[in-house]
Amino acid sequence: MNEYDSEIMAGLLNNSGYHLTDNLEEAKIIILNTCYVREKVKHKIYSKLGELRKLKEEKPDLILGLSGCLVQREPEEALQRAPYLDFILGTSNFYQLPEVLKEISGNDNQENQVGKRYTGIVRVEENGIIPENLPKLRKRRFTAYVPVIRGCNNFCSYCNVPYVRGRERSRLPDDILKEVEELSRQGYKEVTLLGQNVNSYGKDLSDDQDFADLLIQVNRVKSIRRIRFITSHPKDLSDKLIDQMARLDKVCEHLHLPVQSGSNKILSRMKRGYTREHYQNLVDKLRQAIPETTLTTDIIVGFPGEEEEDFRDTLELVETVGFDGAFTFCYSPLRGTEAARLEERIPAEISGERLRRLIELQQAILLKKNKSLVGRKFEVMVEGISKKNPDEVEGRTRGNKIIIFPGGKNLIGRFIWVEIVKAGCWALKGKVISC
Ligand code: SAM
Ligand code: SF4
């Protein structure tokens, strides 16, 4: 979601005559669009700001801003720790960037230099609606993010999202379709529909459109060949959605379904609203409906009260399900969340050791799964030149597996059939069988 919001800020700046640069020294405006899912992020952001302060001291005209989740939660702390900031824009205010820049330039005749005066504009509103039709400078050329719902009502006990992104606000289906149609006209081939919990889509709208209904409509947009979506919540994933995933030809055979833990005791403490049995049952239904589907997940280890036995339940679930990928995290207590008040904290060494064991198991499972794909043929949408070898390109299968194969720039944006010749954990190697 932050990446999409950054694309809007870049689009707004582009419309105001600015252009993007990778060179910090050259920049007239620097904005850190922050994430705040784990406490560690905070240290990173403030240390980056410390570096940028030096740049601002050398170039007092440099405009420095913070946006995103961290500042939504803690704008005062941000201003206290970085009093040289020119502006702070919350998760519902980032689109006000042009107005804020005008305000700052209106202050030009005042001394807005480090140590003397800084602009320090703060706009942090809760549950704001982001206007439609904002300009975007998209990072990618053929695949694009399209938010369908912002915020979350779930309040999982460890999570910051409902506090930093507010309550659920669905976009109107017509607005979403307009955006996807526009992307199709611009030559985009793939869209990823975004939401903290896409399964909640439509609950706050007046007609009873749900996410499955939205998928049916997006599936009709001409020239879009692939539809993906993240994230689904196991407590809300409906049979209707699984059914439509199986029916709709453009919806890719991949589901990201965060399980977080394999222990019912921990799931209940996390306030996830499902049991391990429910999760396993969903996986069975999904695989029955779409045998080819890949499945990825998120897992937290070291949640307060997680005993070795609970952790083993997680390992066992990981083994039984056989995920095609897992984002794995050590639990990070976040101020203001319910879990941060729980006792029975797990020492960092134990969490770290559990994380290592989990990653080891997941990698072994993944390697075995990927090896079983050698010799099979997949349609790959080429996304770009491989980062490691300029004579190779990389792209994804419908199941979201990364495939690298010999080729050049001319293949970017094209759909190529490839045979898998070698398997790794992170990516597979292929050879072209038809263009
Ligand atoms: N909405 C998604 C869901 O319900 O699964 C997840 C969104 S969250 C931004 C992404 C992932 O970060 C979560 O699935 C969780 O695994 C991880 N996460 C969130 N809060 C965390 C915390 N306090 N400590 C460690 N990991 C956390
Ligand atoms: Fe956070 Fe996801 Fe739970 Fe919402 S559903 S509170 S975003 S983990």
Side-chain angles (χ1 to χ4, degrees):
M1 199 66 91
N2 263 14
E3 200 169 309
Y4 180 84
D5 294 348
S6 297
E7 290 177 343
I8 292 183
M9 286 195 277
L12 290 163
L13 288 176
N14 196 46
N15 277 12
S16 313
Y18 292 92
H19 67 268
L20 275 176
T21 173
D22 288 333
N23 181 358
L24 281 183
E25 315 274 320
E26 187 184 272
K28 289 197 162 70
I29 303 175
I30 299 176
I31 305 165
L32 299 187
N33 194 15
T34 61
C35 163
Y36 191 17
V37 178
R38 281 167 298 283
E39 199 62 22
K40 211 161 60 179
V41 176
K42 199 167 166 178
H43 307 306
K44 268 197 190 164
I45 290 162
Y46 286 115
S47 93
K48 187 74 199 168
L49 269 180
E51 286 169 33
L52 293 177
R53 179 194 182 139
K54 288 184 204 124
L55 206 59
K56 195 163 161 71
E57 277 167 357
E58 285 159 25
K59 276 172 60 180
D61 286 345
L62 171 67
I63 295 173
L64 199 55
L66 267 191
S67 60
C69 298
L70 178 76
V71 288
Q72 180 73 31
R73 191 79 201 255
E74 298 172 347
E76 300 83 12
E77 184 181 341
L79 265 193
Q80 218 170 33
R81 292 181 68 165
Y84 43 88
L85 278 170
D86 290 293
F87 65 86
I88 287 184
L89 287 174
T91 51
S92 297
N93 300 81
F94 62 89
Y95 69 90
Q96 294 161 350
L97 183 58
E99 286 168 42
V100 166
L101 290 178
K102 260 195 204 140
E103 211 176 306
I104 292 173
S105 67
N107 279 348
D108 260 0
N109 50 357
Q110 300 174 28
E111 288 177 285
N112 60 351
Q113 294 169 4
V114 177
K116 290 184 182 169
R117 192 182 183 110
Y118 52 90
T119 337
I121 297 169
V122 178
R123 292 197 184 183
V124 178
E125 181 192 336
E126 271 175 41
N127 298 318
I129 298 290
I130 312 300
E132 292 296 331
N133 304 319
L134 292 168
K136 288 149 211 106
L137 201 61
R138 304 247 185 202
K139 209 169 145 186
R140 300 179 181 83
R141 193 48 207 89
F142 298 99
T143 174
Y145 289 132
V146 177
V148 299
I149 177 168
R150 285 181 181 264
C152 182
N153 291 357
N154 284 317
F155 291 91
C156 301
S157 64
Y158 50 82
C159 186
N160 233 340
V161 170
Y163 305 99
V164 295
R165 290 218 165 247
R167 293 306 87 72
E168 289 167 358
R169 283 102 72 212
S170 301
R171 284 177 76 193
L172 294 172
D174 281 355
D175 291 330
I176 296 167
L177 287 170
K178 260 190 227 151
E179 183 168 348
V180 178
E181 279 156 8
E182 177 60 26
L183 287 165
S184 143
R185 278 192 291 277
Q186 292 168 356
Y188 282 83
K189 307 282 182 221
E190 179 182 274
V191 289
T192 301
L193 307 180
L194 290 182
Q196 293 300 340
N197 177 9
V198 290
N199 311 106
S200 283
Y201 176 77
K203 284 183 188 163
D204 54 329
L205 297 177
S206 51
D207 52 2
D208 38 72
Q209 275 244 14
D210 63 13
F211 185 64
D213 299 320
L214 181 71
L215 275 185
I216 296 172
Q217 296 180 65
V218 176
N219 197 68
R220 289 193 195 119
V221 178
K222 245 176 54 196
S223 305
I224 294 295
R225 288 181 57 173
R226 288 181 174 185
I227 303 168
R228 302 184 186 279
F229 55 90
I230 41 174
T231 299
S232 287
H233 195 302
K235 82 174 164 53
D236 298 318
L237 181 70
S238 65
D239 289 352
K240 178 177 170 188
L241 180 59
I242 295 181
D243 187 45
Q244 288 306 333
M245 284 174 70
R247 277 168 203 263
L248 298 170
D249 59 328
K250 297 179 183 175
V251 174
C252 290
E253 294 75 22
H254 167 229
L255 185 69
H256 185 66
L257 193 63
V259 65
Q260 312 297 359
S261 170
S263 150
N264 282 340
K265 177 185 105 189
I266 298 300
L267 285 173
S268 154
R269 290 185 147 220
M270 287 177 164
K271 298 247 155 86
R272 287 289 286 176
Y274 56 85
T275 59
R276 137 195 201 116
E277 291 73 26
H278 175 80
Y279 188 90
Q280 182 68 61
N281 186 31
L282 282 179
V283 173
D284 294 345
K285 270 194 212 166
L286 185 76
R287 287 188 169 146
Q288 207 163 23
I290 315 161
E292 276 288 287
T293 197
T294 56
L295 186 66
T296 53
T297 198
D298 294 350
I299 299 172
I300 300 175
V301 300
F303 189 80
E306 184 190 70
E307 290 170 77
E308 175 61 22
E309 197 187 328
D310 300 305
F311 176 62
R312 287 223 195 99
D313 285 347
T314 300
L315 292 181
E316 195 198 273
L317 184 86
V318 166
E319 206 151 9
T320 333
V321 172
F323 291 106
D324 293 271
F327 294 108
T328 51
F329 309 97
C330 275
Y331 168 70
S332 164
L334 294 170
R335 210 192 314 158
T337 57
E338 204 181 315
R341 294 191 291 274
L342 290 176
E343 286 166 5
E344 303 167 80
R345 290 267 178 95
I346 307 300
E349 316 81 76
I350 297 186
S351 294
E353 165 68 5
R354 287 181 186 164
L355 188 68
R356 193 191 53 70
R357 283 160 65 198
L358 174 62
I359 293 174
E360 214 168 82
L361 173 67
Q362 175 52 33
Q363 288 204 331
I365 292 170
L366 185 55
L367 191 60
K368 193 166 159 207
K369 280 189 138 221
N370 285 352
K371 279 186 173 164
S372 74
L373 302 178
V374 173
R376 294 206 36 207
K377 300 172 179 74
F378 293 94
E379 188 192 48
V380 175
M381 189 186 102
V382 182
E383 289 176 16
I385 299 290
S386 151
K387 281 157 210 101
K388 287 197 180 144
N389 182 347
D391 298 326
E392 290 182 326
V393 287
E394 65 178 58
R396 281 166 207 267
T397 63
R398 286 174 61 99
N400 213 29
K401 297 269 179 192
I402 298 175
I403 314 284
I404 298 175
F405 59 94
K409 261 200 333 224
N410 60 319
L411 296 185
I412 299 174
R414 288 177 58 190
F415 289 80
I416 309 284
W417 278 89
V418 169
E419 181 180 326
I420 307 301
V421 292
K422 198 175 162 206
C425 262
W426 176 79
L428 298 112
K429 291 264 181 176
K431 66 173 188 206
V432 177
I433 50 172
S434 87
C435 279

